[in-house]
Amino acid sequence: MQFEISSELIEKIRFLIEENNNEEILLHLEDVHHADLAEILTELSLEEATYLIKLLDHEKTAEALIELDEDARERILQLLNPREIAQELEEMDTDDAADIISELTPERQQSVIAELVDEEHADHIVELLRYDEDSAGGLMAKELVKVNENWSVTGCMTEMREQAENVTRVHSIYVVDDRNKLKGRLSLKDLLTAPSNSNIRDVYIPQVDYVNVHTEGEEVARIMQKYDLEAIPVVDEMGRLVGRITIDDIVDFIKEEAEKDYQMASGISESVEADTGLLRQTRARLPWLLIGMFGGLGAASIINGFETIMTTFPKLLIFVPLIQATAGNVGVQSSAIVVQGLANGTLKGNIFRRLFKEIILALVNGLSIAIIVFIISSFWFETSYNESVSIGIALMSVIIIAASIGTLIPFMLDKNNIDPAVATGPFITTSNDIFGILTYFLIAKAILGF
Amino acid sequence: MQFEISSELIEKIRFLIEENNNEEILLHLEDVHHADLAEILTELSLEEATYLIKLLDHEKTAEALIELDEDARERILQLLNPREIAQELEEMDTDDAADIISELTPERQQSVIAELVDEEHADHIVELLRYDEDSAGGLMAKELVKVNENWSVTGCMTEMREQAENVTRVHSIYVVDDRNKLKGRLSLKDLLTAPSNSNIRDVYIPQVDYVNVHTEGEEVARIMQKYDLEAIPVVDEMGRLVGRITIDDIVDFIKEEAEKDYQMASGISESVEADTGLLRQTRARLPWLLIGMFGGLGAASIINGFETIMTTFPKLLIFVPLIQATAGNVGVQSSAIVVQGLANGTLKGNIFRRLFKEIILALVNGLSIAIIVFIISSFWFETSYNESVSIGIALMSVIIIAASIGTLIPFMLDKNNIDPAVATGPFITTSNDIFGILTYFLIAKAILGF
């Protein structure tokens, strides 16, 4: 069943575009799914892709444009005039249309909106542009099926068929009162099985999950996931039904968030993909490398400050990489657990209970590692008894400190409304590098006295 | 609208359980959503939770059991006898029932299955148990609505109403032939608007996305996401319709996979959450710490091997943490991009093109960092010109090597069918630590000659 885009197909389409053989192109791409068309567009040159967008049915190209990644879409839209863009937007659901318009410059936004023929559609898009893109208002679409509680089931069926024309998928039918306030819901199944002489008022389900236009996207995702919802209605400050969010948008949202977190943990600060250009890749990566660099130079200053160590106990220096690696690894582990716990709500109880648990864990892991290193350093690296003791105690302390820092920083960021995920990766690693090495030398100094 | 579980409610329920005041408990928990009931259960003691499970309506407790995390569920199920477990399973969809049965010991599985009253349900569960849990067969449920292509639209409506009773959500109606082979689909909307005297054969849509029972879960998620599907039918080797997968299961699957990858990148090898017990936490974390430890000891051996450096160029040693941190950060960044690109399919072209791009990036980033460090080391740390040159060139080389290792390892793992995500985190960091320090000293030795 899977459609595979072969390089033959791409070559064929390239050739047909060059020949301006529109009939053949239409024949080849008639039955292609819009998601596959989007993949084909990314394989073509910018000019070729734009040629196809202008040639093919707007219904299909509009959907394909939605699927494209932002960079590619931006380049194609630059080659279209406002009228052509408006034609694509007419075919989109309001949420997708608003997302795409918001990527244009303010001047272009205005001229595109002016070209929209369907006034209601234009109205809806303008309304959606007002909301923050990560809020429920920014995620919702205006397309939905709603019925008045005072209607009859038969009247409702007729009205509903009409509304359903504009809605790709009917998940739930929302029930509102005369002032458009959300009262409840009905499923198509309920409507099918309801006696036809009854009123909506008698058959609807008054319990309905909903969110407010200002609810954050993450919260919407959490609610929809927790209650296994496939769509959720959105109300305004007055409780009036203004839109609905469907699960496919939430799936995309969850995926994007997960990718962002993963990249953040890997020290990539801007959303990039394998095919993103060099400049943006550098902009996304260099900042973390610079933080790491200053961390490394900080560590160098510390070692430099303990100058006498080099002459009196040079053996201690060879364990610096071990201390540093251990501090980094422990810190990342602890912070990852907290970041994830904060994100999915499994982290209950207060900070101190969490910290206590991490310290117990650190003691267990630290003791295991300290004993192994004590033995190996004594026998393999022939460190003195006091040196080995210093290394072992330092390792234990470093592990406990790293676990504490790794636990506390995400909590602190979260309290200050900063995404705790920024704490993982190079940030924790760098601060742990510095604290780790400082701790190591201070303990060694206390025990060995230099 | 949001239901908040207050500590008063928990206390109240605790008190009522102690008093055996079943009537009051039922009154309090009657209208609670099963997902909220699951949260309440996790707040109670094991005995209290089991008390509620036995008391409340099976329809609700069954759903709540599904929502619980595996550990909590396992403990509760141990306090129920096979008959009681079977009663819960009767209320579940086949996919959930099979998931939960598979968590029991083989002997218990047998005795629970023997207690199932609904023979068809039992049959379906046994069938689902055969599939690998990460395959489409393991993810699918037997509940679906299907019609024969030879039926009339009116006959179909009647039959469908009956089938829909057992199906929580009707996404699509699947059309099969007399031998149960999947032919196409119909939406409820299509059925509503079809002329009632027509046959299914005339109105169904012959294009339908489907997967095979052996398709991997990740591939199912990719297809459903790409084509924005809310349900996908599953066929066997003969093309016969055997089940369907719904988007809510895929949302859970995507979340779990993302969490696993994130944890893997953070050096946590087993799926743990903030509230997981100490033993499993240690088992999940210690292995990576030990790998890091051996990496650190390896680095110690290398420094030890360049003994003369301590006496002739001791200044070089203070930059070891910088070299190590940079190598680690660059390696993780490069591997994260490859791991994500492999996972979401954005990584096109061959390995060498990717490697080339990473090396160019490494040159840009490396040059920036090398220049800054050259200046700072010369003026701040007062290294000699040759020492500064060694450090700068070493940094450049280390960044290029780290980027290459970070790029190549995920590709190699993927080629050998190992999840490339294991490559990120401590694994890459550790190997880069060792290679980085070795490179540093070799270059310094070549330039400074010690």
Side-chain angles (χ1 to χ4, degrees):
Chain A
M1 163 226 66
Q2 275 310 295
F3 175 82
E4 285 290 341
I5 295 161
S6 61
S7 50
E8 286 82 41
L9 177 66
I10 300 293
E11 279 316 306
K12 179 96 197 172
I13 291 171
R14 282 220 160 107
F15 174 77
L16 292 173
I17 292 174
E18 206 176 319
E19 303 270 296
N20 287 333
N21 191 340
N22 293 350
E23 267 169 70
E24 274 285 314
I25 296 176
L26 287 172
L27 213 65
H28 269 85
L29 296 178
E30 200 171 31
D31 292 329
V32 166
H33 189 282
H34 58 78
D36 295 316
L37 177 60
E39 285 194 3
I40 292 173
L41 291 177
T42 58
E43 295 288 328
L44 298 174
S45 77
L46 184 55
E47 287 70 29
E48 289 164 342
T50 316
Y51 185 92
L52 285 189
I53 298 276
K54 290 186 185 180
L55 172 66
L56 298 175
D57 188 33
H58 293 316
E59 207 175 320
K60 185 170 282 172
T61 54
E63 296 287 334
L65 277 174
I66 297 167
E67 299 289 331
L68 280 184
D69 93 275
E70 213 179 306
D71 289 353
R73 182 167 51 232
E74 200 186 308
R75 283 192 295 262
I76 290 176
L77 291 186
Q78 265 162 9
L79 295 186
L80 300 181
N81 63 40
R83 206 194 139 73
E84 285 163 336
I85 297 178
Q87 281 170 341
E88 301 293 334
L89 297 182
E90 300 272 10
E91 297 295 336
M92 294 179 191
D93 279 352
T94 46
D95 56 339
D96 296 319
D99 285 348
I100 287 175
I101 278 205
S102 69
E103 293 168 9
L104 303 174
T105 60
E107 301 80 49
R108 278 206 110 195
Q109 285 187 16
Q110 283 232 310
S111 39
V112 168
I113 290 168
E115 292 285 353
L116 287 168
V117 180
D118 180 342
E119 227 170 281
E120 196 190 356
H121 198 61
D123 236 33
H124 285 161
I125 294 172
V126 170
E127 181 194 334
L128 292 181
L129 281 175
R130 277 193 229 119
Y131 300 108
D132 179 67
E133 66 168 330
D134 283 338
S135 70
L139 286 166
M140 74 185 185
K142 298 296 292 180
E143 287 81 3
L144 52 81
V145 178
K146 67 179 176 188
V147 297
N148 191 300
E149 57 173 344
N150 299 316
W151 292 353
S152 70
V153 165
T154 348
C156 171
M157 288 288 274
T158 326
E159 170 67 24
M160 224 209 59
R161 274 184 211 189
E162 227 161 87
Q163 290 187 24
E165 290 293 300
N166 296 316
V167 180
T168 324
R169 285 184 193 116
V170 181
H171 290 91
S172 265
I173 300 151
Y174 301 117
V175 180
V176 294
D177 67 10
D178 289 333
R179 296 154 81 184
N180 198 27
K181 280 205 181 158
L182 180 66
K183 304 290 282 184
R185 68 186 159 89
L186 264 176
S187 72
L188 261 182
K189 214 170 90 184
D190 300 327
L191 206 58
L192 278 176
T193 47
S196 51
N197 56 352
S198 52
N199 271 338
I200 296 297
R201 176 194 306 286
D202 311 318
V203 294
Y204 81 81
I205 306 150
Q207 281 163 316
V208 55
D209 292 301
Y210 61 87
V211 290
N212 187 283
V213 281
H214 302 300
T215 309
E216 275 179 43
E218 277 189 37
E219 177 69 5
V220 178
R222 201 188 60 74
I223 294 172
M224 291 188 74
Q225 211 193 343
K226 177 172 171 189
Y227 297 110
D228 281 346
L229 305 176
E230 297 186 335
I232 195 164
V234 184
V235 301
D236 68 5
E237 292 83 349
M238 310 268 290
R240 288 176 304 206
L241 179 63
V242 290
R244 115 184 140 147
I245 299 172
T246 49
I247 188 72
D248 53 320
D249 293 322
I250 290 298
V251 171
D252 293 340
F253 183 83
I254 291 174
K255 268 236 149 181
E256 276 166 32
E257 289 296 306
E259 293 197 351
K260 247 195 266 171
D261 285 356
Y262 183 79
Q263 294 202 336
M264 207 119 67
S266 312
I268 299 168
S269 57
E270 206 174 318
S271 181
V272 291
E273 295 197 340
D275 51 3
T276 306
L278 271 180
L279 185 72
R280 263 185 64 199
Q281 290 268 11
T282 307
R283 219 165 57 198
R285 299 197 200 181
L286 194 56
W288 280 122
L289 294 182
L290 289 175
I291 292 178
M293 183 199 76
F294 284 111
L297 290 173
S301 296
I302 293 172
I303 304 179
N304 208 28
F306 288 87
E307 240 177 324
T308 41
I309 224 174
M310 298 206 198
T311 44
T312 48
F313 297 99
K315 273 266 150 92
L316 289 183
L317 283 175
I318 69 171
F319 294 100
V320 165
L322 171 65
I323 297 283
Q324 186 181 351
T326 308
N329 288 344
V330 169
V332 169
Q333 286 182 341
S334 301
S335 64
I337 292 286
V338 175
V339 168
Q340 235 172 22
L342 287 170
N344 64 23
T346 56
L347 200 61
K348 279 160 203 148
N350 60 26
I351 301 185
F352 296 103
R353 225 170 83 190
R354 177 78 230 146
L355 192 59
F356 181 72
K357 190 169 175 186
E358 279 296 324
I359 288 176
I360 299 288
L361 251 174
L363 278 171
V364 175
N365 289 337
L367 205 62
S368 323
I369 287 175
I371 291 172
I372 300 175
V373 170
F374 180 87
I375 295 170
I376 293 181
S377 67
S378 306
F379 289 90
W380 180 259
F381 295 102
E382 295 172 346
T383 49
S384 72
Y385 176 76
N386 275 348
E387 282 174 333
S388 301
V389 168
S390 306
I391 295 164
I393 292 179
L395 263 174
M396 287 277 314
S397 318
V398 162
I399 288 175
I400 291 170
I401 292 173
S404 307
I405 293 179
T407 306
L408 292 177
I409 289 184
F411 270 116
M412 275 168 40
L413 292 175
D414 190 51
K415 282 231 159 150
N416 291 296
N417 286 321
I418 302 170
D419 183 354
V422 302
T424 49
F427 192 71
I428 287 278
T429 317
T430 302
S431 52
N432 278 337
D433 280 0
I434 295 179
F435 281 107
I437 290 169
L438 186 62
T439 309
Y440 176 42
F441 287 147
L442 286 176
I443 287 176
K445 191 179 170 124
I447 293 176
L448 300 169
F450 46 85
Chain B
M1 165 225 67
Q2 274 311 294
F3 176 82
E4 284 291 341
I5 295 160
S6 62
S7 49
E8 288 80 43
L9 177 66
I10 300 292
E11 279 317 307
K12 179 97 198 169
I13 290 171
R14 281 221 162 105
F15 174 78
L16 292 173
I17 291 174
E18 207 176 318
E19 301 271 295
N20 285 334
N21 190 340
N22 294 349
E23 266 169 69
E24 274 285 314
I25 295 175
L26 287 171
L27 212 65
H28 270 85
L29 297 178
E30 201 173 29
D31 291 330
V32 165
H33 189 282
H34 60 79
D36 294 315
L37 177 61
E39 283 192 7
I40 293 173
L41 291 177
T42 58
E43 295 289 326
L44 299 174
S45 76
L46 184 56
E47 287 70 29
E48 289 164 341
T50 316
Y51 185 93
L52 285 188
I53 297 276
K54 289 187 185 180
L55 173 66
L56 297 175
D57 188 33
H58 294 315
E59 208 175 320
K60 187 170 282 173
T61 55
E63 295 287 333
L65 277 174
I66 296 167
E67 300 288 331
L68 282 184
D69 92 276
E70 210 179 309
D71 289 353
R73 181 167 53 232
E74 198 186 310
R75 283 191 297 262
I76 290 176
L77 291 186
Q78 263 161 10
L79 295 185
L80 300 181
N81 63 40
R83 208 193 138 72
E84 286 164 335
I85 297 178
Q87 281 170 341
E88 302 292 335
L89 297 183
E90 300 273 9
E91 298 295 335
M92 295 179 191
D93 278 353
T94 46
D95 56 340
D96 297 318
D99 285 347
I100 287 176
I101 278 205
S102 69
E103 293 167 10
L104 304 173
T105 59
E107 300 81 48
R108 278 203 109 196
Q109 285 189 15
Q110 283 232 310
S111 38
V112 169
I113 290 168
E115 292 285 350
L116 286 169
V117 179
D118 181 341
E119 227 169 284
E120 197 190 355
H121 198 60
D123 236 31
H124 284 161
I125 294 172
V126 171
E127 180 194 335
L128 292 181
L129 282 175
R130 274 192 233 122
Y131 300 108
D132 179 66
E133 66 169 330
D134 284 337
S135 70
L139 287 165
M140 73 184 185
K142 297 297 290 181
E143 286 81 4
L144 53 82
V145 178
K146 65 179 177 189
V147 296
N148 190 301
E149 58 173 344
N150 298 317
W151 293 352
S152 71
V153 166
T154 346
C156 171
M157 288 288 274
T158 326
E159 170 68 24
M160 226 208 58
R161 275 186 210 188
E162 225 160 89
Q163 291 186 26
E165 290 295 300
N166 297 315
V167 180
T168 325
R169 284 181 195 119
V170 182
H171 289 92
S172 264
I173 301 151
Y174 300 117
V175 180
V176 295
D177 66 10
D178 290 331
R179 296 154 82 183
N180 197 29
K181 280 204 181 161
L182 181 66
K183 303 289 283 186
R185 69 188 158 87
L186 264 178
S187 73
L188 262 182
K189 215 170 89 183
D190 300 329
L191 207 56
L192 278 175
T193 47
S196 51
N197 57 351
S198 50
N199 272 338
I200 296 298
R201 178 195 303 285
D202 310 318
V203 294
Y204 81 82
I205 306 150
Q207 279 163 317
V208 55
D209 291 301
Y210 60 87
V211 290
N212 187 283
V213 281
H214 301 300
T215 309
E216 275 179 44
E218 279 190 37
E219 176 70 5
V220 178
R222 201 188 61 74
I223 293 172
M224 291 187 74
Q225 212 192 343
K226 176 172 173 190
Y227 297 110
D228 281 346
L229 305 176
E230 297 187 332
I232 195 165
V234 183
V235 300
D236 68 4
E237 292 82 349
M238 309 268 290
R240 288 175 304 206
L241 178 63
V242 290
R244 114 185 142 148
I245 299 172
T246 49
I247 189 72
D248 53 320
D249 293 323
I250 290 299
V251 171
D252 293 340
F253 183 84
I254 290 173
K255 268 237 152 181
E256 276 167 33
E257 289 294 307
E259 293 198 351
K260 246 194 268 172
D261 284 355
Y262 184 79
Q263 293 202 335
M264 205 118 68
S266 312
I268 299 168
S269 58
E270 206 173 318
S271 180
V272 291
E273 294 196 344
D275 51 3
T276 305
L278 271 180
L279 185 71
R280 262 186 64 199
Q281 290 266 11
T282 308
R283 220 167 51 197
R285 299 195 200 183
L286 195 55
W288 281 121
L289 295 183
L290 289 176
I291 290 178
M293 185 198 76
F294 283 111
L297 290 173
S301 296
I302 292 172
I303 303 180
N304 209 28
F306 287 87
E307 243 178 319
T308 42
I309 224 172
M310 300 207 195
T311 44
T312 48
F313 297 98
K315 275 265 151 92
L316 289 182
L317 282 176
I318 70 173
F319 295 102
V320 165
L322 171 65
I323 298 281
Q324 187 180 350
T326 308
N329 289 344
V330 169
V332 169
Q333 286 181 341
S334 301
S335 65
I337 291 286
V338 175
V339 167
Q340 238 174 18
L342 287 171
N344 64 22
T346 56
L347 198 61
K348 280 160 202 149
N350 62 26
I351 300 184
F352 296 103
R353 225 169 82 188
R354 177 81 229 143
L355 192 60
F356 180 72
K357 190 169 175 186
E358 280 297 324
I359 289 176
I360 299 290
L361 251 172
L363 278 171
V364 176
N365 289 336
L367 204 62
S368 323
I369 287 176
I371 290 171
I372 299 175
V373 170
F374 179 87
I375 295 170
I376 294 182
S377 66
S378 306
F379 290 89
W380 181 258
F381 295 102
E382 295 171 347
T383 48
S384 71
Y385 177 76
N386 275 348
E387 282 174 333
S388 301
V389 168
S390 306
I391 296 163
I393 291 179
L395 264 174
M396 287 279 311
S397 318
V398 162
I399 289 174
I400 291 170
I401 292 173
S404 307
I405 293 178
T407 306
L408 291 177
I409 289 184
F411 271 116
M412 272 168 43
L413 292 175
D414 191 51
K415 282 234 158 148
N416 291 295
N417 286 319
I418 301 170
D419 183 355
V422 304
T424 50
F427 191 72
I428 286 280
T429 318
T430 303
S431 52
N432 278 336
D433 281 0
I434 295 180
F435 280 108
I437 291 169
L438 186 61
T439 308
Y440 177 42
F441 286 149
L442 286 176
I443 287 175
K445 194 178 166 125
I447 294 176
L448 301 168
F450 47 83

Short mmCIF file of all heavy atoms in Angstrom, two decimals, chain B residues 5 19 68 86 147 150 152 165 239 248 274 281 289 292 310 352 389 399:
data_model
loop_
_atom_site.label_atom_id
_atom_site.label_comp_id
_atom_site.label_asym_id
_atom_site.label_seq_id
_atom_site.Cartn_x
_atom_site.Cartn_y
_atom_site.Cartn_z
N ILE B 5 -7.71 16.82 41.86
CA ILE B 5 -7.78 15.89 42.98
C ILE B 5 -7.20 16.58 44.21
O ILE B 5 -6.00 16.79 44.30
CB ILE B 5 -7.01 14.61 42.66
CG1 ILE B 5 -7.71 13.89 41.51
CG2 ILE B 5 -6.94 13.71 43.88
CD1 ILE B 5 -6.85 12.93 40.79
N GLU B 19 -14.04 3.10 57.24
CA GLU B 19 -15.36 2.90 57.84
C GLU B 19 -16.20 1.87 57.09
O GLU B 19 -17.33 1.59 57.48
CB GLU B 19 -16.14 4.24 57.81
CG GLU B 19 -15.47 5.38 58.52
CD GLU B 19 -15.88 5.42 59.98
OE1 GLU B 19 -17.07 5.67 60.25
OE2 GLU B 19 -15.00 5.19 60.84
N LEU B 68 -3.27 3.20 34.82
CA LEU B 68 -2.22 3.13 35.87
C LEU B 68 -0.86 2.82 35.28
O LEU B 68 -0.76 2.20 34.23
CB LEU B 68 -2.57 2.02 36.86
CG LEU B 68 -3.63 2.33 37.91
CD1 LEU B 68 -3.76 1.14 38.85
CD2 LEU B 68 -3.27 3.58 38.71
N ALA B 86 -10.34 -11.39 35.54
CA ALA B 86 -11.12 -11.69 34.32
C ALA B 86 -12.30 -10.73 34.20
O ALA B 86 -12.62 -10.26 33.10
CB ALA B 86 -11.59 -13.14 34.34
N VAL B 147 -18.22 -3.65 7.05
CA VAL B 147 -19.41 -4.04 6.28
C VAL B 147 -18.96 -4.76 5.01
O VAL B 147 -17.84 -4.57 4.54
CB VAL B 147 -20.26 -2.80 5.89
CG1 VAL B 147 -20.81 -2.11 7.12
CG2 VAL B 147 -19.46 -1.82 5.05
N ASN B 150 -21.12 -6.24 -0.56
CA ASN B 150 -22.35 -6.63 -1.23
C ASN B 150 -23.62 -6.17 -0.53
O ASN B 150 -24.71 -6.37 -1.04
CB ASN B 150 -22.38 -8.16 -1.37
CG ASN B 150 -21.22 -8.66 -2.21
OD1 ASN B 150 -20.91 -8.06 -3.25
ND2 ASN B 150 -20.56 -9.71 -1.76
N SER B 152 -26.50 -3.58 1.13
CA SER B 152 -27.13 -2.32 0.73
C SER B 152 -26.86 -1.28 1.82
O SER B 152 -26.53 -1.63 2.95
CB SER B 152 -28.64 -2.50 0.57
OG SER B 152 -29.22 -2.69 1.85
N GLU B 165 -22.06 -0.69 18.92
CA GLU B 165 -22.25 -0.85 20.36
C GLU B 165 -20.94 -1.23 21.07
O GLU B 165 -20.67 -0.80 22.17
CB GLU B 165 -23.29 -1.94 20.63
CG GLU B 165 -24.72 -1.57 20.25
CD GLU B 165 -25.26 -0.43 21.09
OE1 GLU B 165 -25.34 -0.60 22.32
OE2 GLU B 165 -25.56 0.63 20.51
N GLY B 239 -4.08 -10.47 3.45
CA GLY B 239 -4.83 -9.26 3.14
C GLY B 239 -6.17 -9.20 3.84
O GLY B 239 -7.00 -8.36 3.52
N ASP B 248 -5.14 7.25 19.59
CA ASP B 248 -4.79 7.45 21.00
C ASP B 248 -3.69 6.49 21.45
O ASP B 248 -2.83 6.85 22.24
CB ASP B 248 -6.03 7.37 21.90
CG ASP B 248 -6.81 6.10 21.70
OD1 ASP B 248 -6.96 5.67 20.55
OD2 ASP B 248 -7.29 5.51 22.69
N ALA B 274 10.19 9.50 37.93
CA ALA B 274 10.63 10.10 39.17
C ALA B 274 10.26 9.23 40.38
O ALA B 274 10.99 9.17 41.36
CB ALA B 274 10.02 11.48 39.32
N GLN B 281 16.14 2.40 39.82
CA GLN B 281 16.85 3.63 39.46
C GLN B 281 18.35 3.37 39.35
O GLN B 281 19.01 3.84 38.43
CB GLN B 281 16.61 4.72 40.52
CG GLN B 281 15.19 5.25 40.54
CD GLN B 281 15.01 6.50 39.69
OE1 GLN B 281 15.89 6.86 38.92
NE2 GLN B 281 13.88 7.15 39.81
N LEU B 289 27.22 5.21 34.32
CA LEU B 289 28.25 5.84 35.15
C LEU B 289 29.52 5.00 35.11
O LEU B 289 30.64 5.53 35.10
CB LEU B 289 27.74 6.00 36.58
CG LEU B 289 26.56 6.96 36.75
CD1 LEU B 289 26.20 7.09 38.22
CD2 LEU B 289 26.90 8.35 36.19
N GLY B 292 31.28 5.64 31.90
CA GLY B 292 31.96 6.93 32.04
C GLY B 292 33.20 6.79 32.90
O GLY B 292 34.24 7.41 32.63
N MET B 310 54.25 16.44 32.29
CA MET B 310 54.06 17.06 33.61
C MET B 310 55.27 17.88 34.02
O MET B 310 55.12 18.89 34.69
CB MET B 310 53.80 15.98 34.66
CG MET B 310 52.57 15.17 34.34
SD MET B 310 51.84 14.49 35.82
CE MET B 310 50.76 13.28 35.13
N PHE B 352 28.35 10.02 3.46
CA PHE B 352 29.51 10.88 3.22
C PHE B 352 29.12 12.34 3.02
O PHE B 352 29.84 13.24 3.42
CB PHE B 352 30.33 10.32 2.04
CG PHE B 352 30.90 8.98 2.37
CD1 PHE B 352 30.34 7.81 1.87
CD2 PHE B 352 31.96 8.87 3.27
CE1 PHE B 352 30.84 6.57 2.22
CE2 PHE B 352 32.47 7.63 3.63
CZ PHE B 352 31.91 6.48 3.10
N VAL B 389 49.69 27.63 20.07
CA VAL B 389 49.42 27.04 18.75
C VAL B 389 49.00 25.58 18.91
O VAL B 389 48.02 25.13 18.30
CB VAL B 389 50.67 27.15 17.84
CG1 VAL B 389 50.51 26.28 16.59
CG2 VAL B 389 50.91 28.60 17.45
N ILE B 399 37.56 18.90 17.58
CA ILE B 399 36.18 19.20 17.17
C ILE B 399 35.83 18.43 15.90
O ILE B 399 34.75 17.85 15.77
CB ILE B 399 36.00 20.72 16.98
CG1 ILE B 399 36.01 21.40 18.36
CG2 ILE B 399 34.71 21.03 16.25
CD1 ILE B 399 35.97 22.91 18.34
#
